Amino acid sequence: MKYLYVKPVFLWLSAVSVMFLGACTNEIPDTPEATEAISFSVPQTRAAIEGVNDMSAFSVWGWYDADTTPFAVFDNTTVEKTAGGWNYTDYVRYWSPGKTYDFYAVHPENVSNVNVNPQDGTITITDFDSSTAGENAVDLMTATNKGVSGDEAPVVDMKFQHALTRIRFSAKLADGLDGYSLQVSEVALWASKKGKMTFSDDKGIQWETEPYLVAGDNEEDIVNGNYDAYLYHFTSEAGELISTPINTVDPVQLNVEDKGDLLVIPQNMSETRPVLAVRYALSYGGITTSKMWKLFYLKDTPTNWTPGDYLNYTFTIGENNVYFSVKVWDWKDGNSGNENVDFE
């Protein structure tokens, strides 16, 4: 599993015999003032991640004197979580007294097309693809910590921020349908899946999505596959949605844990024009209707997808009408959509 959600991860780190992050050279300095190694260890995590594995690896970049003549300390260095803590496999690095360090990180470690610019303080990821969902969804996160003093050799706190939007679905019966049951067999979402992410201190995480989704007015065109390049598709048959009937006016989560989660590129509804659809059947007195599609054009809705948000779309289904509502939460449980990693 390659994504994290709901609860924060705190990784408390200290210098240990397995050396991790470091300074500017692979030679041990002669002066005692520069013998403090930068290393990772993870004695314990402060909170469990519900239903998914903890972070297993990320990539780190680092420079000192970034505002003058940047000197590279790390360059897309992979940091892996092992039984002994957070480790890397190349040479030991050391703090340099009198130097000021800037650190950057991207999770997971295998993200392509990453460019970190130490002089303007940006992280840019081009052609990011969020096509995979469920068990293979990728939880893209970024972190920075700037102005760290080499004199103090401190614990360096990296606060990771979710760069994507998490989406789930629920369904319920409309009021007045006593004795009815509802079966949702499919949920489909057409949206932009590729884009360019830029992180900066002043603007945070921003996305440019490409190509834009141009949804036709003919609902049959969409359902029948003309827009499959933009399609996220979840079914009860594949085990991504629950298969049990719904017979309550209270919302019931449709996504099966770990299989039906969706992490999407943040985007403006009026620009990319996503389309949401649900396929369902109603039963009453032993009679079940044929399965029906209901489509919703999100271009007219005010709720855009923003980094770190967790959206839940709820379908309310009646005999003659279906409508949806959306709630937005932070993608977290007590940590403002962030995951903390400390290293020293």
Side-chain angles (χ1 to χ4, degrees), residues 79-312:
V79 182
E80 296 181 341
K81 184 179 181 183
T82 67
W86 290 94
N87 299 289
Y88 64 96
T89 57
D90 58 1
Y91 57 88
V92 178
R93 294 161 167 91
Y94 298 87
W95 292 103
S96 291
K99 302 299 183 182
T100 300
Y101 292 77
D102 293 344
F103 298 96
Y104 304 78
V106 173
H107 172 276
E109 83 287 355
N110 57 355
V111 177
S112 301
N113 305 315
V114 179
N115 180 66
V116 180
N117 187 325
Q119 293 186 300
D120 65 10
T122 59
I123 302 173
T124 303
I125 302 174
T126 56
D127 297 323
F128 182 80
D129 191 331
S130 65
S131 296
T132 56
E135 293 177 303
N136 297 315
V138 176
D139 184 1
L140 180 66
M141 295 192 289
T142 63
T144 64
N145 196 335
K146 302 178 183 180
V148 182
S149 173
D151 292 325
E152 300 175 4
V155 172
V156 181
D157 177 53
M158 299 298 287
K159 181 177 287 186
F160 280 85
Q161 297 177 303
H162 292 286
L164 302 177
T165 303
R166 180 185 174 205
I167 295 179
R168 281 191 164 189
F169 308 101
S170 300
K172 64 176 184 176
L173 285 169
D175 293 336
L177 295 185
D178 295 342
Y180 281 76
S181 66
L182 163 68
Q183 177 65 61
V184 175
S185 57
E186 299 178 61
V187 173
L189 179 65
W190 292 263
S192 292
K193 293 184 176 182
K194 295 182 179 180
K196 175 183 177 181
M197 187 219 78
T198 302
F199 169 86
S200 63
D201 286 333
D202 56 340
K203 296 182 179 180
I205 295 173
Q206 293 188 313
W207 282 92
E208 300 173 34
T209 49
E210 52 185 41
Y212 290 150
L213 172 62
V214 181
D217 294 328
N218 187 334
E219 296 181 358
E220 292 301 318
D221 282 347
I222 298 173
V223 174
N224 286 342
N226 288 2
Y227 292 88
D228 279 359
Y230 307 101
L231 175 62
Y232 296 101
H233 189 208
F234 299 96
T235 70
S236 57
E237 183 178 2
E240 298 151 336
L241 304 178
I242 62 170
S243 57
T244 53
I246 297 170
N247 53 16
T248 176
V249 295
D250 297 319
V252 176
Q253 182 180 300
L254 296 173
N255 307 75
V256 172
E257 200 71 43
D258 296 345
K259 293 186 177 181
D261 250 352
L262 180 58
L263 310 182
V264 299
I265 289 178
Q267 50 200 276
N268 187 301
M269 300 297 95
S270 64
E271 293 179 354
T272 60
R273 303 177 66 184
V275 178
L276 176 63
V278 59
R279 195 180 190 194
Y280 68 96
L282 286 170
S283 297
Y284 181 79
I287 299 174
T288 300
T289 67
S290 59
K291 294 179 180 179
M292 297 169 280
W293 280 104
K294 175 64 177 180
L295 275 74
F296 306 93
Y297 292 92
L298 302 185
K299 63 182 177 65
D300 298 322
T301 62
T303 305
N304 293 319
W305 302 343
T306 57
D309 276 353
Y310 163 24
L311 277 63
N312 192 95

Side-chain angles (χ1 to χ4, degrees), residues 10-14 16 40-46 83-86 342:
F10 292 90
L11 306 177
W12 301 101
L13 306 141
S14 60
V16 293
F40 269 132
S41 74
V42 186
Q44 63 181 2
T45 57
R46 290 282 300 277
W86 290 94
D342 297 338

